[in-house]
Amino acid sequence: MTRILPLILCLTLVPPPTLAGDVSRAAVSTQLDVLSLAPADPLALFYVSDPAALLDGPLQAVADTTIGETLTKLLSAWQDCFKGSAMLSLGGPILLRPDAIQINFAAGVEGDPEAVFDRLENRLLPQLTSDDRTPMIQTSRAGDQLTVRSMQFPFIGLHCAVLDGVFFASTTYSATADFQAGKYSPSSFRENEDFKQHALAKAIGAGSQSAFVYVNLRPLLPMFEASMEAELRPFYEMSGIADARSLVLGINRTDQALRVGIEVAVADETEGLWSWIAPGNRKTTIASMLPDNYVFTATSSMTNASEAVDVLLSLVAQVAPDVVDEYEDELQDVTREFGFAPQREFLANFVEQWAVGLDFDEQLEPRVVLLAKLADDDLFLRHFQNLVTAYRLPIRSDFVGDIAIISRADEGTPGLALAVFENHLVVSNSGASIVELMEAQKAGKTLSTSAATNYLLAAHSNSPGRLAFLNFRRLAELAAAQEPGNSKEQLVLQRLQLLGEQDAKIMFSASRQPELVSINLTVRGNTAGSIARLITESIVASLQQARYQSQRLVSMANIKGLMTTCLIYANDNDGWFPDSMKAMVESGDITLDILRSPYDGSGPSTIDEADTHGYYLYRSGVNVSDEDFDPAMIVIAEPDTGPKDLGANFGFADGHVEWIEQPRAGRLIAELRRHAR
């Protein structure tokens, strides 16, 4: 499948259309509704409206990378060929019989069929090549049809035609012929019951900058269950996953907001995993107690904590009943010791909603605050006093007004602090954080009063059961207090500062609607591009760092191999190391590959170039039998401190290899150059 992924990706990148009704001979390309050309019951369907707008930020961020250049060329070639939204549907028994795959594709175009086919063959299809640049696509023409066939999978062939500004392709020849004759009128995907149910897909299908992937789970899940280990099947049935019907992954961008989400259609009465992911929709008021200046905040509704534990236990019981039995025994012991039932009384007192906040001080030490609504303040305090007495905990109370903040009394002992006020329990790793929370509430500077927060909440017509917020303004403040180490970090800091000025936030939400579970990420529209660039740049920087680390490890392995060769040679030659790298290659102890740079691949192409073009510095004339032999002598090293100027790998005379950081690495390399050949 990996060979056709570029084709699938390419077939889903298109510019924006204006959507309209059925497509026929009278259809106009600027009024193209490609979903009307999709079958009503596909196994999977891909749709995209405006790739340029969706990919602008990410492509800018990776413009100077290989993948960025490749995607830019691919997108440019696509835009030369197609003018409108695009749809790709997959059907048939793909998993059982890949050769029976049914593909339909549609997009808007300009020009007559011959001109469209010319652009496809000369601009777009040549971009689809394998890793060794071998073409992956073969084309042929017959009359006013173009056939596109995969060279990797010859059974995949698309019969393509153009009519009235519409490009249509299908693996079924008769479907394409009917399209040309104006007779192709499938039962539209827009009439599909799943499409009608998925709110995200309907919104995306009408959006100007959007894309979605639809998957029909009904034929897939039974196959998944059949291949499952027998001991996991009870858990699978209990989880409710088997009741999932369809899934939509989508992204929708408007001037107001960018929304990325996943929706799963399930039976309305389905519980299990789905009720844990998205509890019933309920407006949470606990956000009014959290300060707005936290890096991360999350809130959730619940019935009570005891019932939440019951749901978890019911799932665990399916795969590890012994664990549940042990838990029940422990509960009985604790009940006898403390005089109350830990779950049925203590946890059941936590009701309706909970929240958590995370922030950092200037030294980046974390500050965590956890809140939960209490059904009975006095009951909690009695239970807490029982715990203090049973464990003989030394505690003290510091009052802020008439509110007691309780913490450990041990001098200099870090620990938790807690307070109870307004029917809520507040727990933190710092009493100062509880005071800050109380002051923010009095000053009206809480999450619920934040304009950015309320803006994002307005994007949802319901009240999600779970919410979480990432605050870029606070991230920018924390990042500004740190010293950026390189140009990439400086760029990320600049992006953060811009987002901070825009009061940008990301909102994660999980909600339950009739027969639908939704998980969404939402950001304000005018900050979406900046956030996309920041995330992409961060990912690219992380990938580059990972690649550099792997290259360092390869170089270390190369030096280790060279040092091992030197020691073996010395054992047979009166303690002498080889005279040169060339001598090692000529003896057959090493190959030229080990002398090439792991960072850019440069190095010798012939044995004669082993010393002059080899990547590593080598000290000749070393004899381990000499009286003044120093096992800490550097014999082999990288020639510089690398593309990031961080340090270099060194091989020592005793055979060990070590990474040494700057500035010491630079001095050692300069010293070795005076002795190296």
Side-chain angles (χ1 to χ4, degrees):
M1 288 294 290
T2 55
R3 295 296 183 185
I4 65 171
L5 285 178
L7 177 60
I8 293 176
L9 173 64
C10 182
L11 292 177
T12 56
L13 298 178
V14 280
T18 301
L19 301 177
D22 293 339
V23 175
S24 65
R25 283 187 177 275
V28 181
S29 62
T30 58
Q31 300 261 316
L32 175 63
D33 179 2
V34 294
L35 291 179
S36 69
L37 288 171
D41 56 349
L43 180 63
L45 186 141
F46 305 81
Y47 168 90
V48 66
S49 65
D50 189 351
L54 288 174
L55 298 176
D56 176 59
L59 282 181
Q60 286 186 32
V62 299
D64 58 346
T65 66
T66 301
I67 189 172
E69 293 175 357
T70 300
L71 287 176
T72 300
K73 290 179 181 178
L74 192 62
L75 183 58
S76 175
W78 180 270
Q79 290 174 311
D80 286 345
C81 296
F82 299 111
K83 309 293 180 184
S85 59
M87 170 281 303
L88 174 70
S89 68
L90 305 177
I94 300 175
L95 300 179
L96 297 177
R97 287 189 55 202
D99 60 323
I101 185 173
Q102 298 171 10
I103 301 175
N104 282 353
F105 171 74
V109 291
E110 292 180 352
D112 57 43
E114 185 174 353
V116 172
F117 296 159
D118 285 342
R119 289 195 295 270
L120 276 172
E121 291 180 313
N122 297 324
R123 289 285 291 120
L124 179 61
L125 297 181
Q127 302 290 332
L128 305 179
T129 59
S130 60
D131 295 338
D132 60 0
R133 309 304 296 173
T134 302
M136 297 170 58
I137 302 298
Q138 186 179 45
T139 64
S140 61
R141 297 195 196 186
D144 53 1
Q145 279 197 17
L146 172 73
T147 299
V148 179
R149 191 170 298 279
S150 167
M151 298 178 69
Q152 185 72 20
F153 303 96
F155 57 82
I156 298 179
L158 293 175
H159 306 282
C160 312
V162 175
L163 179 68
D164 295 327
V166 179
F167 178 92
F168 179 77
S170 177
T171 49
T172 306
Y173 176 83
S174 59
T176 303
D178 287 345
F179 168 79
Q180 285 182 291
K183 300 176 181 178
Y184 182 72
S185 55
S187 178
S188 173
F189 180 68
R190 288 193 177 278
E191 301 304 316
N192 183 298
E193 291 301 319
D194 288 343
F195 179 79
K196 294 178 180 179
Q197 185 175 0
H198 283 285
L200 185 60
K202 289 190 292 185
I204 286 172
S208 60
Q209 300 174 17
S210 56
F212 74 80
V213 177
Y214 160 84
V215 180
N216 183 356
L217 299 175
R218 295 172 184 84
L220 301 179
L221 289 179
M223 298 178 63
F224 173 69
E225 183 177 3
S227 63
M228 188 180 300
E229 298 288 342
E231 57 268 22
L232 293 179
R233 289 185 181 176
F235 175 79
Y236 174 76
E237 294 172 0
M238 188 73 181
S239 70
I241 295 176
D243 294 323
R245 300 168 179 170
S246 58
L247 175 148
V248 165
L249 298 169
I251 177 171
N252 190 31
R253 181 175 177 181
T254 66
D255 292 338
Q256 288 74 36
L258 169 67
R259 183 180 176 189
V260 180
I262 175 173
E263 291 180 343
V264 180
V266 296
D268 196 32
E269 65 277 4
T270 301
E271 296 296 331
L273 180 68
W274 308 114
S275 61
W276 184 86
I277 292 175
N281 297 340
R282 184 185 305 163
K283 186 175 182 179
T284 55
T285 59
I286 203 167
S288 63
M289 302 183 68
L290 286 167
D292 184 40
N293 64 340
Y294 279 14
V295 169
F296 175 81
T297 49
T299 69
S300 177
S301 64
M302 63 177 176
T303 304
N304 64 60
S306 178
E307 290 193 10
V309 172
D310 283 338
V311 172
L312 179 61
L313 290 175
S314 64
L315 295 175
V316 174
Q318 302 301 315
V319 292
D322 292 344
V323 173
V324 177
D325 292 340
E326 184 177 347
Y327 170 78
E328 297 290 350
D329 292 340
E330 289 289 339
L331 284 183
Q332 294 179 15
D333 294 340
V334 174
T335 300
R336 287 190 294 268
E337 183 177 358
F338 296 145
F340 62 86
Q343 182 178 334
R344 301 304 172 195
E345 294 182 65
F346 184 75
L347 290 182
N349 196 22
F350 298 97
V351 298
E352 295 185 12
Q353 50 193 323
W354 59 264
V356 63
L358 172 66
D359 197 30
F360 299 88
D361 61 20
E362 293 181 355
Q363 286 72 43
L364 297 184
E365 292 294 327
R367 297 184 297 165
V368 182
V369 174
L370 178 66
L371 299 91
K373 189 172 182 180
L374 297 171
D376 188 330
D377 293 8
D378 293 334
L379 179 62
F380 170 80
L381 292 173
R382 289 197 300 272
H383 288 163
F384 179 73
Q385 186 58 51
N386 286 357
L387 291 172
V388 169
T389 302
Y391 285 109
R392 298 180 181 178
L393 297 175
I395 63 170
R396 72 179 194 184
S397 298
D398 298 301
F399 284 86
V400 178
D402 58 351
I403 306 294
I405 299 178
I406 304 171
S407 59
R408 291 286 296 265
D410 313 50
E411 194 66 32
T413 301
L416 296 178
L418 63 88
V420 176
F421 65 97
E422 297 186 7
N423 294 111
H424 288 85
L425 169 67
V426 184
V427 181
S428 177
N429 62 341
S430 165
S433 295
I434 297 180
V435 174
E436 179 187 35
L437 180 146
M438 295 165 60
E439 291 176 346
Q441 186 180 14
K442 291 179 181 178
K445 296 181 179 179
T446 65
L447 196 63
S448 62
T449 61
S450 163
T453 299
N454 287 310
Y455 187 98
L456 294 173
L457 286 171
H460 292 268
S461 58
N462 53 37
S463 298
R466 297 196 194 278
L467 287 169
F469 298 89
L470 184 62
N471 187 342
F472 283 96
R473 183 182 62 193
R474 181 59 178 153
L475 279 175
E477 293 173 356
L478 293 171
Q482 311 302 313
E483 287 292 333
N486 52 50
S487 58
K488 286 288 184 183
E489 291 181 4
Q490 291 174 354
L491 181 59
V492 170
L493 176 58
Q494 292 172 2
R495 297 286 189 209
L496 276 175
Q497 289 172 335
L498 175 61
L499 289 169
E501 294 169 0
Q502 296 173 327
D503 196 18
K505 283 186 177 179
I506 288 181
M507 182 178 78
F508 304 89
S509 63
S511 60
R512 187 74 179 263
Q513 303 162 48
E515 300 187 351
L516 199 66
V517 174
S518 301
I519 303 172
N520 291 283
L521 179 153
T522 308
V523 301
R524 189 185 296 189
N526 63 345
T527 66
S530 299
I531 291 176
R533 282 189 288 273
L534 172 65
I535 293 174
T536 306
E537 286 162 358
S538 300
I539 292 173
V540 170
S542 297
L543 292 175
Q544 290 175 338
Q545 178 65 18
R547 182 185 180 195
Y548 175 61
Q549 292 289 348
S550 66
Q551 291 169 335
R552 274 177 48 180
L553 291 175
V554 170
S555 184
M556 183 174 285
N558 288 347
I559 295 177
K560 183 66 176 177
L562 291 170
M563 289 308 308
T564 300
T565 299
C566 289
L567 291 171
I568 293 174
Y569 183 92
N571 191 53
D572 297 330
N573 291 274
D574 299 324
W576 289 100
F577 279 5
D579 289 336
S580 64
M581 295 284 191
K582 179 181 178 181
M584 292 189 223
V585 179
E586 287 177 332
S587 66
D589 294 326
I590 65 171
T591 65
L592 287 176
D593 287 340
I594 203 173
L595 300 181
R596 295 193 175 98
S597 168
Y599 302 102
D600 60 16
S602 62
S605 55
T606 65
I607 294 179
D608 290 335
E609 295 178 345
D611 292 324
T612 57
H613 291 72
Y615 176 68
Y616 299 100
L617 301 176
Y618 176 64
R619 182 196 297 262
S620 59
V622 175
N623 191 317
V624 298
S625 301
D626 287 349
E627 292 183 0
D628 58 349
F629 170 73
D630 181 7
M633 177 193 305
I634 294 175
V635 178
I636 300 173
E638 294 176 337
D640 53 49
T641 53
K644 295 181 178 293
D645 193 31
L646 298 178
N649 285 307
F650 294 84
F652 293 82
D654 63 356
H656 87 276
V657 181
E658 184 179 336
W659 166 264
I660 298 177
E661 297 181 350
Q662 278 282 62
R664 184 185 171 210
R667 295 194 297 268
L668 293 175
I669 290 172
E671 172 67 21
L672 182 59
R673 283 189 180 278
R674 291 197 287 269
H675 305 280
R677 55 176 301 172

